[in-house]
């Protein structure tokens, strides 16, 4: 995945083929915890660049833009 971000308290998020996934991350151990899980099924995704239309905040808020219709 090209578009990846971190949101508090311990979640890495990334988009793969238009689906936003999350996976827990243990900063002390420097490793992922468990498996990835879908956070949003439809996120605007730009296949040519690997970018996606979502944003995270330091407080843990996550915003996504749905695909254009």
């Amino acid at each position: 995945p090209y578009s990846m971000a971190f949101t508090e308290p311990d979640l890495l998020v990334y988009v793969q083929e238009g689906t936003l996934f999350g996976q827990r991350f243990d900063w002390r151990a420097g490793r992922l915890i468990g498996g990835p899980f879908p956070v949003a099924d439809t996120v605007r995704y730009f296949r040519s660049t690997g970018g996606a239309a979502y944003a995270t905040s330091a407080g843990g808020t996550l915003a996504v833009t749905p695909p254009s219709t």
Side-chain angles (χ1 to χ4, degrees):
Y2 298 107
S3 181
M4 188 177 298
F6 176 77
T7 186
E8 295 291 343
D10 63 351
L11 188 65
L12 290 175
V13 292
Y14 62 92
V15 174
Q16 189 171 6
E17 296 297 321
T19 299
L20 182 68
F21 288 94
Q23 190 163 2
R24 301 276 179 223
F25 186 77
D26 181 336
W27 285 101
R28 287 187 175 170
R31 63 180 177 86
L32 295 167
I33 301 169
F37 52 91
V39 175
D41 290 330
T42 54
V43 177
R44 189 165 190 192
Y45 172 68
F46 307 96
R47 180 170 273 132
S48 62
T49 65
Y54 71 93
T56 62
S57 77
T61 301
L62 178 65
V64 299
T65 302
S68 56
T69 55

